[in-house]
Amino acid sequence: QIGGRQAGERECAPCAAAPLRQQGDREGIAWLTNQLGDVARRMGDDVKAEARYQDALAMFKKIGHRRRVNSQQVQEEVNLV
């Protein structure tokens, strides 16, 4: 079952990101990337999770999303390993 979920993530992530990219929704892409970090963490892949969280954090910084960048939750996610 877990392997199926990981395969599902690989298959669904590009599909979910495509409309966001077409719309230029950088915040939406950042949130999607963060959620993919959550999926990786639940699957036990802390290295992948941290990479996704770092990518999401960089995106939030780039768009100036101060509340997300400064949140305690983000700091915990990024420092998870």
Side-chain angles (χ1 to χ4, degrees):
Q1 181 107 22
I2 290 177
R5 287 188 203 156
Q6 288 173 330
E9 174 197 344
R10 287 190 300 270
E11 294 170 11
C12 293
C15 297
L20 297 172
R21 284 195 182 95
Q22 289 172 348
Q23 296 169 359
D25 186 352
R26 296 184 305 164
E27 183 177 355
I29 294 169
W31 281 110
L32 174 63
T33 303
N34 191 78
Q35 290 170 343
L36 291 173
D38 293 342
V39 170
R41 183 169 59 176
R42 283 193 300 273
M43 296 295 127
D45 190 343
D46 288 346
V47 173
K48 187 175 188 177
E50 184 177 6
R52 300 274 184 163
Y53 290 140
Q54 290 283 357
D55 289 345
L57 182 59
M59 289 180 214
F60 283 122
K61 285 180 179 178
K62 189 171 185 175
I63 62 174
H65 198 295
R66 285 185 293 230
R67 270 190 20 208
R68 186 66 183 152
V69 169
N70 295 328
S71 80
Q72 179 64 31
Q73 179 184 359
V74 169
Q75 299 309 317
E76 291 170 4
E77 290 168 351
V78 169
N79 295 315
L80 109 118
V81 226

